[in-house]
Each structure stands twice: as C-alpha cells, then as structure tokens.
Amino acid sequence: MFKILFGMNILVTATALFFLVIGIRCFKSDEYNKKGIKCILGGASITGICIIIGAILFVPTFFPI
C-alpha cells in the first residue's frame, strides 16, 4: 500500500510541477494572459486532489477494519 501511495504521489507531484512550470512560463512571456493563470491553477488543483485521495487511501493502513 505504501508503494502505491508513494508512486501515486510522485506521479501527481511531477504532473503538478509540469503544469506550474508551463503556467509560469506562459504567465511571464505573454504579458500575464489567462492561459498561464489556468495552468497554474490546474497544477494547484491537481496537487489538492492528490492530497485528498492520498489521505483517503492512507487512513486504512493505520486503522485496519
């Protein structure tokens, strides 16, 4: 279970960083356009979803039913 959580968090973190880097590049190079803001918010929402799913999957490892 820990390997699955670790792998999932690595993949989602890499995806979120990818979106954030693209968003920052677009934001700086295109004079603060909407595409950059959408990419930055997309990366932030992906990270939030990862935290929620990770928390849901992590709880049963400590409290077996």
Side-chain angles (χ1 to χ4, degrees), residues 3-25:
K3 290 181 182 179
I4 294 171
L5 285 172
F6 184 71
M8 183 182 72
N9 284 332
I10 293 296
L11 287 173
V12 172
T13 304
T15 306
L17 287 175
F18 179 71
F19 274 114
L20 289 172
V21 168
I22 289 175
I24 290 171
R25 282 186 182 174

Side-chain angles (χ1 to χ4, degrees), residues 15-44:
T15 306
L17 287 175
F18 179 71
F19 274 114
L20 289 172
V21 168
I22 289 175
I24 290 171
R25 282 186 182 174
C26 291
F27 199 64
K28 286 183 178 180
S29 66
D30 293 338
E31 304 275 333
Y32 305 102
N33 65 352
K34 290 181 182 180
K35 182 181 177 185
I37 294 170
K38 285 181 183 180
C39 286
I40 291 171
L41 291 176

